Amino acid sequence: MEHITHPFSELFEQLGLDASHQGIEHFLHNHRLPAGVELVDAPFWNRSQASFLKEGLQSDSDWAEVIDQLNASLR
């Protein structure tokens, strides 16, 4: 089975966010996850976004690696 690696910008597109370099930088600059808060529980996600992130992690989908990258970038 082929492992698909999604670029960071593609995750932002999936989440309905600005996927440009500036858009990603702006989002990361303006959003932080405090210690103890899970990525999927962050207050800045809408229900659909949180669901996508949660499902991607729980099913260890091909999105899981880039979702982990997002989690680390928000810390």
Side-chain angles (χ1 to χ4, degrees):
M1 184 166 104
E2 184 179 334
H3 179 73
I4 299 171
T5 303
H6 296 282
F8 210 45
S9 60
E10 197 171 306
L11 176 60
F12 274 69
E13 289 174 1
Q14 279 295 120
L15 293 170
L17 302 171
D18 182 350
S20 69
H21 179 74
Q22 286 180 321
I24 292 170
E25 289 294 320
H26 183 264
F27 183 87
L28 296 177
H29 178 75
N30 289 302
H31 297 88
R32 286 284 165 227
L33 286 174
V37 175
E38 296 291 328
L39 176 66
V40 299
D41 297 326
F44 43 82
W45 302 128
N46 65 36
R47 201 172 277 175
S48 177
Q49 291 167 325
S51 178
F52 174 80
L53 295 169
K54 184 176 184 177
E55 289 174 22
L57 291 171
Q58 286 180 340
S59 67
D60 196 27
S61 75
D62 54 328
W63 289 101
E65 188 175 322
V66 74
I67 292 170
D68 286 339
Q69 181 184 351
L70 175 62
N71 186 33
S73 297
L74 290 169
R75 304 267 173 201

